[in-house]
Amino acid sequence: MKDLTRVVHHPMVSLKGFDTLTVPTYRASSIIFDDAQAYANRKHRGPDGYTYGLHGTPTTKTLEAQISALEHAERTVLLPSGQAAITIVFLAVLEPGDKVLIPDTVYPPVRIFCAQYLAARGIDHVVYDPLIGGDIAELIDDRTRLIWTESPGSTTMEFQDVPAIVAAAKARSVLTGCDNTWATPLLFKPLDHGVDFSMQALSKYVGGHSDILMGAVSVKDIDLYTRLKDTGRMIGMGVSPDDCSMVLRGIETIGVRLAHVGQVAEEFAGRIVDLPGVRQVLHPSLSDCPGHESWRRDFSGASGVFTIIITAEAEADLAKALGQLKTFAIGSSWGGTRSLIAPMSVEGDRTLRDSKSDMMLRVSIGLEHPDDLWADLAAIFDTFGSASASGASD
Ligand SMILES: *Cc1c(COP(=O)(O)O)cnc(C)c1O
């Protein structure tokens, strides 16, 4: 073999005895075949077979199998972001003339996708109250193909009665999907409640380190899996094995990360309730959290994201209060090791519910020492308290 040929043919080395605890990162675009016949027949390998790097390598399939096991699914499809994992479901099942029902509290880009992309292609969407429960039956008609749920709702933390919605959907042969990003399959398993598509943004708790964008959709039904795979193939969506190996590393520690942030978040939420400038704390352990009973019944715990609604008076001092943060960073895309606060209102993201212009602090607890985190939070509410005290005296 000449050198120019040699340099593109790497020597084979033995893997015998190389037993490790890690998943190798298999990178590939080309998949090669033993003979011309095998190449000609490659389509017969089906959605699970190796035909092209975009459609899967052993690394991507290891992550898919891992998520399937956790979600109690038969198959999982990986997409380049959480948003892509949602849109692939909609694109795989909806056709012109069909209708999809989405909760008012849906991750806001989903509403935009419905209003701007699907509507222009003859697919309608109807926005429903996330706490509608079994009454969703009244919104189902012959054109309804899919009911999307997200529990809890983005920012305002409504826990949906997913089993009641699924029962109403099944009675009319309508498919259901659930955005399970907040809970992850460690705290809630939508497929066990009859949901057809369980979706997660792996960018959040599963990746867990604020350095990855990826999404997953898990299903029990192989026909639905084939539809998702075929749609992804037509659109040309796939994920990088390097990114998958990062997620496989992140997922190993999700159990201890979630248990820790869940405990700290719950404790903080309980302490914040009575502090100055607080109108309501939206954490599922508190009985006034919308859908608290559904959470108690269906979830095995809470993760580390919750929301504080502040009073109109406190809003005036918000910039000053947040200017003193030492440990929390200001930003979104939660679920990593660093704690985040995002000051936000849902104005413009809702069409059904009132109190749209409330100012909220969405808090994501990370892995820093709880004392340092509490010092930051205490400083925020001290600022609100001293401002209102001085306001009262003059
Ligand atoms: C972040 C998020 C998404 C989108 O995930 P990306 O990977 O950022 O596209 C979807 N749903 C929920 C609930 C999220 O928090």
Side-chain angles (χ1 to χ4, degrees), residues 81-83 86 107 150 154 179 181 199 201 203-204 213-214 334:
S81 68
Q83 174 70 2
I86 299 170
Y107 178 64
E150 179 179 326
S154 278
D179 185 332
T181 301
M199 166 270 155
S203 320
K204 308 288 169 55
L213 290 158
M214 202 181 292
W334 38 266

Side-chain angles (χ1 to χ4, degrees), residues 112-382:
I112 296 170
F113 174 71
C114 291
Q116 295 185 14
Y117 188 89
L118 294 183
R121 286 154 184 83
I123 298 164
D124 291 335
H125 69 285
V126 172
V127 176
Y128 69 88
D129 182 335
L131 299 174
I132 194 169
D135 289 345
I136 196 142
E138 290 160 28
L139 298 181
I140 298 175
D141 64 22
D142 292 342
R143 291 171 55 213
T144 310
R145 291 282 298 152
L146 175 68
I147 301 175
W148 191 250
T149 63
E150 179 179 326
S151 192
S154 278
T155 310
T156 43
M157 302 293 294
E158 293 84 353
F159 285 80
Q160 297 197 252
D161 190 344
V162 171
I165 291 173
V166 167
K170 283 200 188 302
R172 299 286 299 269
S173 304
V174 173
L175 293 166
T176 49
C178 181
D179 185 332
N180 196 31
T181 301
W182 179 89
T184 85
L186 270 68
L187 303 178
F188 182 52
K189 295 195 196 298
L191 301 182
D192 284 355
H193 296 273
V195 170
D196 296 295
F197 301 97
S198 179
M199 166 270 155
Q200 326 172 50
L202 304 178
S203 320
K204 308 288 169 55
Y205 282 121
V206 178
H209 293 76
S210 312
D211 54 3
I212 279 291
L213 290 158
M214 202 181 292
V217 186
S218 302
V219 293
K220 279 194 194 294
D221 183 306
I222 297 294
D223 282 346
L224 294 180
Y225 165 65
T226 306
R227 267 153 79 181
L228 292 170
K229 262 308 233 199
D230 287 349
T231 306
R233 185 184 299 259
M234 286 186 277
I235 297 174
M237 286 219 241
V239 295
S240 139
D242 292 83
D243 286 353
C244 289
S245 78
M246 301 276 280
V247 177
L248 283 163
R249 170 181 263 218
I251 206 172
E252 291 188 14
T253 55
I254 192 175
V256 282
R257 286 187 286 110
L258 265 187
H260 174 76
V261 300
Q263 184 241 314
V264 174
E266 180 169 339
E267 192 190 320
F268 284 2
R271 277 198 233 168
I272 292 167
V273 170
D274 295 320
L275 296 184
V278 175
R279 241 193 60 201
Q280 192 181 357
V281 178
L282 300 170
H283 184 283
S285 66
L286 302 170
S287 58
D288 62 346
C289 185
H292 166 76
E293 290 304 328
S294 297
W295 172 75
R296 274 178 47 139
R297 185 189 61 198
D298 299 336
F299 289 62
S300 59
S303 65
V305 173
F306 65 101
T307 298
I308 305 159
I309 307 179
I310 64 171
T311 60
E313 301 81 67
E315 204 177 323
D317 300 306
L318 185 58
K320 184 177 166 208
L322 295 181
Q324 312 162 58
L325 294 176
K326 293 194 171 67
T327 307
F328 277 90
I330 297 178
S332 48
S333 202
W334 38 266
T337 58
R338 290 282 308 274
S339 295
L340 296 177
I341 286 191
M344 55 204 293
S345 99
V346 295
E347 196 171 14
D349 294 336
R350 304 281 193 271
T351 49
L352 296 185
R353 297 178 81 77
D354 52 5
S355 62
K356 290 175 203 150
S357 61
D358 286 340
M359 181 51 72
M360 307 188 193
L361 300 175
R362 192 182 59 193
V363 178
S364 172
I365 297 297
L367 301 182
E368 305 90 339
H369 197 287
D371 292 350
D372 288 331
L373 295 174
W374 183 255
D376 263 6
L377 294 173
I380 292 178
F381 300 105
D382 282 351

